[in-house]
Amino acid sequence: MRAHVITYGCQMNEYDTLTIHSELVAGGHEIVDAPQDAELILLNTCAVRGKPVEKVVSLLGDLRKERRRGRDLTLALMGCLAQLDEGQAIARKFDVDLVIGPGAITDLVPALDAVERRRSDAHASAPGGVERLHFRDDLVDHITPPPPAGTQTGFLTIMRGCDHHCTYCIVPTTRGPEVSRPLEAIMHEARAMHDSGVQEVVLLGQNVNSYGLHDPTLPSFAELLRLVARVGIPRVKFTTSHPMNFTSDVIDAIAGEPNVCTYIHLPVQSGSDRVLRRMAREYRRERYLEIVREIRAKVPDVVLSTDIIVGFPGETEDDFQRTVDLFDEVRFEHAYMFIYSARPGTPAHTHFDDMPREVKTERLGRLIERQKHWALEANRRWIGREVRVLVKERAKDGHYVAGHSDQNHTVLVPADQVRRLGLHRVRVDHATPHTLYGGVLGEREGAVELRLAS
Ligand code: SAH
Ligand code: SF4
Ligand code: F3S
């Protein structure tokens, strides 16, 4: 079949989409770029908040209309939503043919065959689709093919699942318990990326710092980071870190390996111990600040970002103020700030009452303003300095090309100064809260030969 995958959610899902592609191709299917050319549409979904779920429902509504107008289309619901009762109910409502959880991607091709058999067997045309919802062990061994030549960023999943039980979060239900991938699979994939010219690799996991914790034969995350760094890919990033396992050896590895990005995403969720307790986050504010102090002392020019949930059930104005003054203390260069979204099946949804939307929105607005202030302050300090930028694409207005610095700043440089994608030396001359602007000083040796699409 001609197949098209639509991806929602986090980078883990983007990586899973690569695995879905390779499974489909191995099974004799063809990947097409345009959804209108496809006979099979697969939705690789996210369920972390209400919004991504609404997007899927709205797309399924459109696709149902097309089917009713006579388009012959097979539909698969995959990703995190597929694993939930909520997703399975949606699948039934929209006559989705195939429901495959994120732990069962390697079942996709046989399940597609099962859908075909059902269709051709008139007697077995029972209502409902084919479901595969178990967590398959072989998925962690899975090796995705090296990215095509010219790809600059390679995603590399090092672990799957999550053993934490943050009370707001649906991910442990959708992704199952933590499993670390075998070291050989990771190293094989990293070397293949290096050989195909990938300029930056992003190590992925719900909590990358838990890598190897449950298996004494595996290295720790800090050791793994060093091993991957030494493969020679110019830049190594990783996400997401959990403060609980963010130990000194991880900080030392970041400080000690020159190609590990000096950007650390360390979700704190709230600045109030009372809220952290209700969220079942295993650290408290002071421990978080201790980690931040150690990072700032050992990693010069480090850029810190975080995730925040605003308006968690029971968050008082005082609690919220604790988050605001945590921002004043840490001065995060970047933050992903979310309004609490009650997810059916999570302890917070079962046990706590949501608060009025206006209160949450108003608090979010105030926090965004605060964060902008610190981000601008931090970005201004880069004016006049040189950064190394991986130029990736033409920016929206066409006059600039966009890339990321080693500290993960978004950096824009005039398009007429750049002849190829790849790593460049850039002097920063202007800063806004979200972006640095600068001029190219030179290309780094070995910048990949690629013409910019106009
Ligand atoms: N494993 C990662 C993050 C996974 S989800 C970690 O623990 O850091 C990404 C972010 O989504 C979380 O950090 C949290 O800030 C946010 N999030 C998760 N569930 C949410 C919910 N129910 N409502 C709002 N934001 C949520
Ligand atoms: Fe969700 Fe918490 Fe696990 Fe992150 S650590 S995925 S927020 S349960
Ligand atoms: Fe969403 Fe699943 Fe990622 S819920 S954020 S796609 S782990």
Side-chain angles (χ1 to χ4, degrees), residues 135-152:
F135 293 99
R136 284 191 55 148
D137 295 342
D138 62 341
L139 199 56
V140 291
D141 297 329
H142 212 77
I143 294 175
T144 53
T151 304
Q152 308 221 57

Side-chain angles (χ1 to χ4, degrees), residues 162-166 168-172 206-207 242 269 281:
C162 178
D163 280 352
H164 294 266
H165 298 281
C166 306
Y168 50 80
C169 186
I170 200 69
V171 172
Q206 289 305 339
N207 301 294
H242 191 293
Q269 314 299 356
R281 297 286 287 185

Side-chain angles (χ1 to χ4, degrees), residues 383-403:
I383 293 174
R385 294 184 58 187
E386 186 183 318
V387 288
R388 190 177 71 146
V389 179
L390 182 59
V391 175
K392 294 177 184 167
E393 61 196 358
R394 194 170 285 273
K396 282 194 189 83
D397 80 350
H399 297 296
Y400 291 96
V401 288

